[in-house]
Amino acid sequence: MLTRKQHELLLFIHQRLKETGIPPSFDEMKEALDLASKSGIHRLITALEERGFIRRLPNRARALEVLRLPESISPGLGRPRSFSPSVIEGSLGKPKPKSAPPVSANDDAGGGVSVPVMGRIAAGVPIDAIQHQTHAIAVPPDMLSAGDHYALEVRGDSMIDAGILDGDTVIIRSAVTANPGDIVVALVEDAEATLKRFRRKGESIALEAANPAYETRIYGPNQVKVQGRLVGLIRRY
């Protein structure tokens, strides 16, 4: 599964190789994807290489080879649809979707609202940006408020002091703003998503871990986009 930016970069490299036979430079890739720094391109290329979509050829500058394309990409295809989480409406009187596994949280009402699980989120160093629904879970209605909600599976231990453990499922209310101290899903440079506590330091944004083993990361105001705020957590035993 590729993120939106990974899709865009893979298609850009493929089209450039097809048109000219020469891979694009890092500056050209950065400009094409509208990223603020080359470090974002380095991370995207590494992710594509690890997933077996491209290969870096040794001892050759700018040497990239596209090994395969995902089924969702074909020549001439436009940009993939961006991630826009939405709640799947449900009620106690409606049947649960077949794909929704039983919820393990306390649910005295015996039912729940079906919420889409949009993949995994890093509670550690940032990983891939979320954008694809993998399945759905039933969430107790009193865990949700007004607005759209989605769920994410947590990977990493940087939020353990906030009670968020590796393997937990967090329930996120879609939002583009946050208050200092909120635990948020933050999209970094339109390429990577992470779960962190939101802080501001002047014009800069700080993404703060809840584990002393991880340092607080500082970003410019245009490098971070809030994707949602934590409202609940489900844990399986």
Side-chain angles (χ1 to χ4, degrees), residues 42 87 91 103 132 189 224:
H42 279 284
V87 66
S91 69
V103 65
H132 299 293
E189 294 185 344
V224 174

Side-chain angles (χ1 to χ4, degrees), residues 38-107:
K38 293 181 183 179
S39 61
I41 295 296
H42 279 284
R43 289 191 293 266
L44 291 173
I45 287 178
T46 299
L48 289 172
E49 187 175 29
E50 290 174 347
R51 287 160 175 77
F53 289 97
I54 65 173
R55 179 174 61 183
R56 281 183 273 203
L57 303 179
N59 304 319
R60 292 173 58 186
R62 290 175 51 176
L64 295 174
E65 179 183 8
V66 176
L67 300 178
R68 65 186 179 97
L69 295 174
E71 294 180 0
S72 59
I73 290 183
S74 60
L77 185 67
R79 288 193 171 192
R81 177 176 58 87
S82 61
F83 167 63
S84 180
S86 60
V87 66
I88 300 175
E89 296 294 342
S91 69
L92 300 182
K94 295 182 180 180
K96 295 180 182 179
K98 293 182 180 180
S99 61
V103 65
S104 62
N106 292 332
D107 185 3

Side-chain angles (χ1 to χ4, degrees), residues 132-224:
H132 299 293
Q133 179 178 346
T134 59
H135 57 285
I137 58 171
V139 176
D142 58 2
M143 189 178 289
L144 307 177
S145 57
D148 295 343
H149 295 77
Y150 57 99
L152 294 166
E153 297 171 350
V154 175
R155 291 293 178 267
D157 61 356
S158 75
M159 298 302 290
I160 57 174
D161 287 351
I164 303 170
L165 308 182
D166 181 66
D168 287 347
T169 298
V170 289
I171 309 302
I172 305 296
R173 182 179 183 274
S174 183
V176 296
T177 61
N179 297 316
D182 286 345
I183 296 176
V184 303
V185 173
L187 188 63
V188 180
E189 294 185 344
D190 286 328
E192 299 172 319
T194 188
L195 186 72
K196 291 290 184 293
R197 197 174 297 279
F198 180 87
R199 304 285 189 189
R200 283 195 178 275
K201 294 186 176 181
E203 293 296 318
S204 299
I205 293 173
L207 298 181
E208 180 183 87
N211 182 336
Y214 293 82
E215 64 180 10
T216 297
R217 295 179 178 268
I218 310 296
Y219 297 94
N222 298 322
Q223 290 182 287
V224 174

